[in-house]
Amino acid sequence: MEKQKKIIVLCGGKFAFQSLQALAYEKFLCGVGIGKGNNRITDALERESQDNHMAFKSFPDKKSINEMRAWLDEVQPDYIFSISFPFLIPEDVLSYGHEKFINFHPGPLPQYRGPMPIFEVLKNQETQTAICAHLMSSTFDQGNIIFNDIVQIENKDNYGRLAVKLSNRMAHTVLNMANMVQFASTIPNKPQEESEAYYFEKPDFTDTYINWRRMGAEEIISLINACNPWNIGADATFQGEQVKIIAASIVDESHKSKTPGTIVSLTTENSINIACSDDKQITIEIMSTDDGIIASKQFNPHRYLIGACFN
Amino acid sequence: MQTIGILLARSTFYHTIGFDLYEGLRQRLKQLGRSDIKIVTENIGFGADKQQCYRSAEKLLLEENVSLVIAYIGHRTAQLLRPLFLSANKMLIVLDAGANLPQEWSASPNIFYHSLHNSLGAWLAAKQAVKDGYKNGGMVTGYYDGGYLQTFSISKGFEGAGGKICFNHATGYKKEDFTMLPLKSFLKEFDNTALLTLFSGDYMQWNFEEIRETINKNTPIYLSPFGFEETMLETAIHPNTKTKGVAAWAKSIKNDENSLFIETIESIGRTPNLFSLLSWESAQIALKVLDLLNANNNNILLTAQDLYTFEFDSPRGKIKFHAETNTSIGQLYNAEIIASNDGKCQVRIDEAIIDTAEEFETMTQLELDNISSAWHNSYTCI
């Protein structure tokens, strides 16, 4: 039996917690680094690390990455796993060891490079996503791929649910990877297919805004799910007020050529039905308005709604 | 030439298991006119050494460049191999005794489980006991067999049907420690009790010997599929009490596929058993996978999707796949162990169970309540 490999995990917060537990339980974990974490999570991780005699280091900003190489030289891990670590690892740190840095990207590569693949796969109505284990290079998400571990997306999944699902799955994937580095004679990997690659920037307002004229009902629902809860919901404007639509569902019923964005009817439960560009409707269940987060029936009494238009 | 790799386990009480697994596959490929396919074997010992399992699979994939791998392993070892197969874009067909319940019924497109469903059979046997009127149950197993979560399925099956587990007896794994004596006092204390029994191999024989000496004729024994393994039963003394349960296969199942399987295996001087059956069946799955990989340009996701609708007739009846768990569902049978003329055991198949897929679906929904199995080896490989 070969000596148990020692692994440091660089993470960004609670998304990595289950993976840390799994690696610690199997005695692979020798240290934890956290980037840009909030005080509560950083303190908790530091305490747990101390209690379990593991190395710990906080990297609160980009500048603090300068201290990483010395820390690695001191701890001497066999491998460094990165799970949603927010900073790019520079060449002088990567030179600690060839093929020693492995990132776990919460989306399929090379198709979904970028900082928020969970948002992008939901917005693009994918039916499955992946956790991609890849070697790290000095550019984000571009190192050689070891494997893409497929995760199914269900209709009910929004950003929050899918993130939890991926976090749970991540623990298995990370442990499988740890076993691979423990037992494999080589880590199989191959370059990313650049013709299939796409880098998605961090979404901004134009990405989270509902374009009623262009988007069909399913696209809008996917965008709403993709925005809940990190952006509260999908952005829209109603009578000059910025609102966010948090939960909605499709009504497969013609709106008889109403302008997209128009409120077609109110249901018996006082939900609001809105015309979409593909002659289907969506019914809004929960919104965030200046009045706070409300069920759509609470939105109703204030105004005369039928015929009014979201834009 | 295409090559199939097979990871072979060994077992002290099923000492021919490696040959059985190999010959089942080889003979079925030959019988299907595919002798052109080369089979490469690797030994994984008892299947408990992670490094040996990983390196053997790695060798088949990277050095032998096999098109797919067949392995007699459990879920846990399959999970260990998952990243290797994902990375290599190759398919792993797990020949699974079905004795364990996994912590997660994860469906990786690269791994399909072809199962003998020992846990499902145990679940169904326990339900049958309640249906037969036994409201009290005692789970009887041993240090080895009791280490797999078939214990959970047999208990939950019994309780879910309205029965109550009144006692558990787990005996030792050495002959000198193996005893059924504690059952005497349990059975005095609890009336109308069925013994829900989980053993395999030699343990099953020891169990029958001790039962015959220890308990009265009125206490029935309910068995899981490995309790009906016929090579072991041939030399086992009948326990002299009603002994029934759920079997995965028996030589006496009447269908053309079974006749062909038995004739073919016997023609090479071997005795057909559960292991040669499992690998015999896996040949058809392997050929289908090879065809699909070819048709789908080696796209594993498309191949997996197409495999979900694949069905075939096997010696134990129709086999199809449960898409949520990538697990094959085969026919199971209500069966009884009767005494042969010389007082040994033989299997009598009573009837096919019609709703195995629905029962499997229900069993996969069981919450394991944080229990887990510590056994890494392939079932019966000790």
Side-chain angles (χ1 to χ4, degrees):
Chain A
M1 179 72 182
E2 286 177 18
K3 198 177 158 200
Q4 182 89 338
K5 296 283 189 282
K6 293 196 304 177
I7 296 169
I8 271 185
V9 172
L10 303 174
C11 66
K14 68 177 184 180
F15 186 72
F17 277 14
Q18 290 203 50
S19 302
L20 293 171
Q21 282 175 346
L23 290 176
Y25 184 77
E26 295 291 338
K27 301 189 174 10
F28 283 113
L29 193 65
C30 70
V32 180
I34 183 166
K36 231 194 246 178
N38 68 42
N39 289 341
R40 190 171 58 84
I41 287 174
T42 303
D43 289 349
L45 273 181
E46 184 167 16
R47 204 167 42 246
E48 280 295 316
S49 301
Q50 278 172 355
D51 290 349
N52 291 286
H53 311 291
M54 286 176 195
F56 176 82
K57 180 88 178 153
S58 171
F59 300 95
D61 50 36
K62 257 186 192 173
K63 201 179 153 195
S64 61
I65 299 297
N66 292 337
E67 300 164 23
M68 187 180 281
R69 179 56 195 263
W71 183 58
L72 294 180
D73 286 337
E74 183 191 331
V75 180
Q76 288 286 305
D78 296 300
Y79 285 89
I80 298 94
F81 286 4
S82 164
I83 303 168
S84 299
F85 189 68
F87 303 121
L88 192 64
I89 309 292
E91 285 282 8
D92 68 304
V93 178
L94 291 174
S95 68
Y96 171 78
H98 178 60
E99 297 188 350
K100 297 293 183 195
F101 290 78
I102 295 167
N103 184 47
F104 296 86
H105 182 72
L109 288 176
Q111 295 86 353
Y112 280 92
R113 293 175 178 170
M116 288 185 64
I118 301 175
F119 168 79
E120 303 296 348
V121 294
L122 285 169
K123 186 184 175 190
N124 289 342
Q125 300 172 56
E126 300 284 4
T127 55
Q128 53 188 208
T129 182
I131 294 168
C132 181
H134 67 94
L135 298 173
M136 290 171 79
S137 64
S138 56
T139 45
F140 272 124
D141 305 333
Q142 290 189 31
N144 284 10
I145 291 176
I146 302 168
F147 60 83
N148 273 296
D149 200 351
I150 303 294
V151 176
Q152 299 299 327
I153 299 174
E154 292 164 79
N155 282 338
K156 64 180 183 186
D157 285 339
N158 60 25
Y159 188 100
R161 284 197 200 100
L162 186 54
V164 169
K165 194 190 284 185
L166 284 166
S167 174
N168 293 341
R169 183 66 233 163
M170 183 73 80
H172 293 272
T173 306
V174 165
L175 190 56
N176 283 339
M177 188 68 232
N179 280 317
M180 186 185 241
V181 300
Q182 177 70 37
F183 301 120
S185 51
T186 57
I187 305 298
N189 63 87
K190 58 184 176 192
Q192 297 194 22
E193 189 60 63
E194 284 302 319
S195 61
E196 294 173 13
Y198 194 86
Y199 187 89
F200 292 89
E201 296 287 350
K202 187 170 182 184
D204 61 19
F205 189 68
T206 57
D207 299 304
T208 58
Y209 196 77
I210 298 172
N211 185 330
W212 297 98
R213 284 171 201 278
R214 189 178 54 79
M215 295 169 76
E218 286 178 7
E219 268 182 289
I220 294 172
I221 296 297
S222 297
L223 178 61
I224 292 166
N225 286 337
C227 290
N228 180 7
W230 71 274
N231 193 51
I232 301 176
D235 293 293
T237 306
F238 185 71
Q239 295 179 337
E241 182 185 343
Q242 294 294 314
V243 299
K244 288 175 187 284
I245 301 175
I246 297 171
S249 53
I250 293 177
V251 182
D252 197 1
E253 198 175 297
S254 170
H255 52 67
K256 301 190 174 98
S257 302
K258 298 275 190 319
T259 303
T262 303
I263 296 177
V264 179
S265 60
L266 304 177
T267 67
T268 49
E269 295 85 30
N270 282 330
S271 291
I272 302 166
N273 290 349
I274 307 173
C276 302
S277 70
D278 57 355
D279 200 29
K280 288 182 184 169
Q281 302 173 43
I282 65 163
T283 186
I284 298 177
E285 289 144 15
I286 305 172
M287 279 195 295
S288 171
T289 70
D290 289 346
D291 293 342
I293 292 175
I294 56 173
S296 53
K297 64 183 176 187
Q298 295 169 286
F299 188 62
N300 283 343
H302 302 299
R303 343 178 181 212
Y304 182 67
L305 294 175
I306 294 177
C309 204
F310 279 83
N311 49 33
Chain B
M1 180 190 277
Q2 284 185 302
T3 307
I4 292 176
I6 183 164
L7 297 178
L8 298 176
R10 70 188 183 94
S11 164
T12 46
F13 52 68
Y14 288 116
H15 57 274
T16 63
I17 186 170
F19 294 107
D20 294 331
L21 290 166
Y22 175 75
E23 284 298 343
L25 174 65
R26 192 171 80 94
Q27 293 303 323
R28 184 55 165 158
L29 286 175
K30 188 175 161 190
Q31 195 276 327
L32 290 167
R34 295 304 306 270
S35 298
D36 59 307
I37 293 178
K38 185 181 169 193
I39 303 172
V40 185
T41 63
E42 273 294 312
N43 175 23
I44 56 167
F46 297 123
D49 182 336
K50 288 183 186 177
Q51 178 132 355
Q52 188 177 13
C53 290
Y54 191 97
R55 288 279 168 86
S56 297
E58 188 182 53
K59 187 176 174 202
L60 290 176
L61 292 174
L62 304 182
E63 292 178 28
E64 301 288 351
N65 194 29
V66 299
S67 303
L68 61 85
V69 174
I70 297 168
Y72 184 70
I73 53 177
H75 277 82
R76 192 174 291 191
T77 305
Q79 281 299 306
L80 171 77
L81 301 178
R82 178 173 169 156
L84 175 65
F85 281 81
L86 282 170
S87 182
N89 196 43
K90 293 283 169 70
M91 190 74 88
L92 171 63
I93 299 169
V94 173
L95 304 184
D96 180 22
N100 237 335
L101 297 176
Q103 297 301 309
E104 181 198 43
W105 291 94
S106 65
S108 170
N110 290 59
I111 305 176
F112 276 73
Y113 295 87
H114 182 43
S115 181
L116 283 172
H117 286 298
N118 210 48
S119 287
L120 178 62
W123 161 272
L124 290 165
K127 289 176 86 161
Q128 185 61 45
V130 177
K131 206 170 161 187
D132 290 346
Y134 297 97
K135 298 296 179 193
N136 292 335
M139 185 173 67
V140 182
T141 184
Y143 175 80
Y144 174 67
D145 294 278
Y148 293 88
L149 296 184
Q150 53 190 342
T151 50
F152 192 71
S153 75
I154 204 166
S155 304
K156 289 292 171 187
F158 194 71
E159 289 169 353
K164 185 184 173 196
I165 298 290
C166 298
F167 61 88
N168 294 302
H169 173 55
T171 186
Y173 71 100
K174 290 180 187 164
K175 181 76 172 165
E176 58 267 33
D177 299 329
F178 194 94
T179 177
M180 290 295 133
L181 276 176
L183 296 182
K184 266 190 169 174
S185 58
F186 282 134
L187 292 172
K188 264 187 198 162
E189 193 178 341
F190 302 103
D191 287 338
N192 195 29
T193 296
L195 297 179
L196 310 172
T197 301
L198 293 165
F199 284 111
S200 57
D202 293 356
Y203 297 123
M204 200 71 236
Q205 294 182 351
W206 299 354
N207 172 245
F208 282 178
E209 281 170 32
E210 291 253 340
I211 288 285
R212 191 181 171 89
E213 302 296 320
T214 311
I215 67 170
N216 67 48
K217 281 185 184 178
N218 300 323
T219 304
I221 302 172
Y222 285 82
L223 300 174
S224 68
F226 268 82
F228 289 90
E229 202 287 305
E230 287 176 306
T231 56
M232 168 273 301
L233 289 176
E234 277 170 8
T235 51
I237 296 166
H238 191 271
N240 202 25
T241 187
K242 186 88 167 168
T243 305
K244 57 193 291 195
V246 173
W249 171 79
K251 280 201 267 189
S252 58
I253 292 171
K254 301 283 179 220
N255 67 49
D256 293 345
E257 292 292 329
N258 202 27
S259 302
L260 178 66
F261 166 62
I262 293 165
E263 281 166 21
T264 307
I265 297 296
E266 286 180 344
S267 73
I268 57 165
R270 306 201 67 82
T271 305
N273 62 15
L274 289 176
F275 307 108
S276 50
L277 168 84
L278 203 55
S279 65
W280 169 277
E281 292 170 339
S282 75
Q284 257 175 293
I285 302 171
L287 290 179
K288 185 67 181 177
V289 168
L290 294 177
D291 283 349
L292 290 172
L293 285 170
N294 189 37
N296 292 318
N297 201 19
N298 286 319
N299 185 314
I300 290 282
L301 285 175
L302 295 177
T303 299
Q305 278 164 18
D306 289 344
L307 206 52
Y308 293 145
T309 56
F310 177 54
E311 292 182 1
F312 64 99
D313 291 318
S314 84
R316 52 181 159 145
K318 181 83 76 190
I319 303 277
K320 55 189 176 180
F321 282 97
H322 181 255
E324 285 75 29
T325 58
N326 283 16
T327 303
S328 67
I329 309 278
Q331 188 71 69
L332 290 168
Y333 297 86
N334 285 321
E336 190 166 334
I337 291 180
I338 54 174
S340 59
N341 291 337
D342 59 357
K344 299 290 194 305
C345 298
Q346 63 185 54
V347 177
R348 189 187 73 203
I349 294 290
D350 290 335
E351 59 183 351
I353 298 169
I354 51 170
D355 52 357
T356 50
E358 289 81 357
E359 292 288 347
F360 179 69
E361 179 86 32
T362 308
M363 194 187 73
T364 60
Q365 306 297 323
L366 284 178
E367 290 288 339
L368 290 183
D369 304 332
N370 292 322
I371 61 158
S372 62
S373 165
W375 287 174
H376 286 260
N377 53 325
S378 312
Y379 185 59
T380 73
C381 294
I382 55 168

